Amino acid sequence: MTTSDHEAITRTVYEYAYGIDTRDWPRYRDVFTDEIHMDFSSYNERPASTMSADAWMANAKVLFTGLDATQHTMSNPLVDVDGDSARCRMYMQAAHFLTDWPNPEFTIGGYYDDQLVRTDDGWRISAVTLTVWWRRGDAALMVEAAGRGKRILDAR
């Protein structure tokens, strides 16, 4: 692994968080391969699945459009490269806010375990596994946010 690989991989993973938090959907889409494997089962108890990155992004857009603000912070990247494949594990905290909700914050903490591949356009995420260690706040605001996001997007 070269320093430039490490920097490019961690930048790609940071762009994932930045794209969500700024609602920069083209930037968010750009971090993924066309097909991705997502495992958020430790968060939502749904089985892992493989889908198009466009389908994943469309679902994320509904939820995050309904939130007033989010902040995904990541640290302590552990990067391993094997040729044109890589793994990046990072601690994470994801704070979600609805300012008019009775308990306006829901935050989770744990780590992301990302699989990446080197493409002609740079490193892209092909799989994400989220492992949640703790939760704080009102998880019901996420359901409310998804409903709000759908109404907002349907009205456009």
Side-chain angles (χ1 to χ4, degrees), residues 74-94:
M74 296 185 284
S75 66
N76 302 18
L78 298 175
V79 176
D80 295 304
V81 175
D82 184 9
D84 291 335
S85 298
R87 174 183 178 203
C88 180
R89 179 175 280 185
M90 289 183 130
Y91 287 151
M92 61 74 63
Q93 288 188 33

Side-chain angles (χ1 to χ4, degrees), residues 12 25-33 57 121 123-124:
T12 299
W25 303 118
R27 177 187 300 246
Y28 185 62
R29 170 59 183 91
D30 196 45
V31 303
F32 296 112
T33 56
M57 191 184 81
D121 298 317
W123 288 97
R124 297 293 182 261

Side-chain angles (χ1 to χ4, degrees), residues 5 13 18 28-29 54 94 107 110 115 128-129 142 153:
D5 279 337
V13 174
Y18 189 79
Y28 185 62
R29 170 59 183 91
D54 292 333
T107 301
Q115 303 296 319
V128 176
T129 300
M142 300 298 277
L153 294 172

Side-chain angles (χ1 to χ4, degrees), residues 18-69:
Y18 189 79
I20 291 173
D21 291 338
T22 62
R23 312 308 189 257
D24 183 340
W25 303 118
R27 177 187 300 246
Y28 185 62
R29 170 59 183 91
D30 196 45
V31 303
F32 296 112
T33 56
D34 288 338
E35 184 175 89
I36 54 176
H37 182 80
M38 304 302 267
D39 182 353
F40 281 55
S41 57
S42 78
Y43 167 69
N44 59 21
E45 298 180 356
R46 294 184 200 132
S49 63
T50 301
M51 68 196 74
S52 74
D54 292 333
W56 174 260
M57 191 184 81
N59 288 332
K61 189 174 182 179
V62 171
L63 173 63
F64 289 95
T65 295
L67 289 160
D68 293 323

Side-chain angles (χ1 to χ4, degrees), residues 132-150:
V132 176
W133 284 337
W134 57 267
R135 299 163 190 254
R136 176 180 62 224
D138 186 1
L141 76 79
M142 300 298 277
V143 175
E144 175 67 15
R148 290 182 187 191
K150 182 171 182 352

